[in-house]
C-alpha cells in the first residue's frame, strides 16, 4: 500500500488522538483471528477500542478483540517507544507490498514491538518466501534501523 505524505501525517495524528496510555493494550503487540479468515492477524494496541493494523492498511482501526502476544516481554520495547516506532514504520514501509507469506502483519508488528521482523506462520515455508530459516524478513530490520538512526536514536536497542 502506497501512502502519500499527507496520508502518513493524518495517520500519525490519528494515532496520537486515539492513543490511551492508561489502556492495558497501549503499545502492545496484539493478535486476533477473524471468523472468515482464521489465521492470526497482528497490530499495535492504541487503546481499549483501537489498534494500528499492521497488515495491508497501515492505519488505526476500531478493534476490541485482540490479546497481547505472550512471551515477548523480554524483547518488547516500552509501550511509548512502540507507539513512536509505529509512527516511523508508516514512513519506512508505506510503499512495501503486503503479501501473505513474505511481508505481512506479523512481520511488521513484531519488528515494531520487538525489533524482529519475524513471522512464525510463514516460517515453515521460509525458503519459498526469501525469509531466514527463523521466519525473519531479510532486509526489514536493517532498513528500519537505518531510518531510526537518522531520526531518533532512542527508538533503537
Amino acid at each position: 500500500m502506497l501512502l502519500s505524505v499527507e496520508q502518513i501525517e493524518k495517520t500519525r495524528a490519528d494515532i496520537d488522538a486515539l492513543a490511551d496510555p492508561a489502556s492495558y493494550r497501549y503499545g502492545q503487540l496484539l493478535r486476533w483471528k477473524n471468523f472468515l479468515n482464521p489465521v492470526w492477524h497482528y497490530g499495535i494496541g492504541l487503546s481499549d477500542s483501537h489498534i494500528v493494523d499492521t497488515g495491508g492498511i497501515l492505519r488505526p482501526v476500531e478493534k476490541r478483540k485482540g490479546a497481547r502476544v505472550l512471551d515477548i516481554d523480554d524483547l518488547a520495547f516500552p509501550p511509548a517507544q512502540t507507539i513512536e516506532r509505529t509512527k516511523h514504520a508508516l514512513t519506512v514501509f508505506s510503499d512495501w507490498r503486503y503479501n501473505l507469506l513474505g511481508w505481512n502483519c506479523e512481520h511488521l508488528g513484531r519488528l515494531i514491538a520487538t525489533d524482529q521482523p519475524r513471522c512464525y506462520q510463514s516460517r515453515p515455508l521460509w525458503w519459498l518466501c526469501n525469509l531466514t530459516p527463523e521466519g525473519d524478513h531479510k532486509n526489514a530490520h536493517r532498513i528500519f534501523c537505518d531510518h531510526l538512526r537518522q531520526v531518533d536514536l532512542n527508538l533503537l536497542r
Side-chain angles (χ1 to χ4, degrees):
M1 164 177 241
L2 182 59
L3 296 176
S4 69
V5 172
E6 294 80 18
Q7 289 170 313
I8 291 169
E9 290 307 313
K10 181 188 179 319
T11 301
R12 284 175 168 231
D14 290 345
I15 289 170
D16 288 337
L18 293 167
D20 177 8
S23 170
Y24 71 98
R25 293 174 15 146
Y26 174 77
Q28 301 296 317
L29 180 61
L30 304 175
R31 71 180 188 171
W32 65 94
K33 287 185 179 182
N34 294 329
F35 179 72
L36 297 175
N37 186 1
V39 298
W40 287 112
H41 301 279
Y42 287 77
I44 303 298
L46 293 174
S47 67
D48 293 346
S49 61
H50 285 81
I51 59 135
V52 175
D53 188 324
T54 55
I57 60 173
L58 289 178
R59 64 180 168 85
V61 295
E62 187 170 354
K63 175 68 70 180
R64 295 185 187 276
K65 287 174 37 176
R68 287 181 60 189
V69 174
L70 302 177
D71 299 326
I72 65 165
D73 289 344
D74 59 329
L75 299 172
F77 286 87
Q81 276 186 295
T82 300
I83 297 298
E84 288 304 308
R85 287 171 61 90
T86 301
K87 291 190 282 187
H88 284 286
L90 296 170
T91 300
V92 176
F93 300 109
S94 66
D95 62 348
W96 283 43
R97 295 210 185 270
Y98 176 91
N99 94 39
L100 188 59
L101 298 175
W103 180 248
N104 61 41
C105 60
E106 186 175 2
H107 286 108
L108 182 55
R110 287 185 185 273
L111 175 59
I112 292 167
T114 71
D115 223 23
Q116 293 178 331
R118 182 166 292 168
C119 178
Y120 289 99
Q121 297 175 110
S122 298
R123 191 162 124 185
L125 301 171
W126 67 271
W127 46 276
L128 283 175
C129 314
N130 197 27
L131 303 174
T132 68
E134 293 79 23
D136 291 354
H137 188 280
K138 290 182 178 177
N139 301 315
H141 181 263
R142 178 187 49 78
I143 291 167
F144 193 39
C145 288
D146 286 350
H147 170 80
L148 294 176
R149 274 187 205 90
Q150 294 177 14
V151 297
D152 190 345
L153 293 174
N154 294 318
L155 299 177
L156 295 166
R157 285 223 190 274

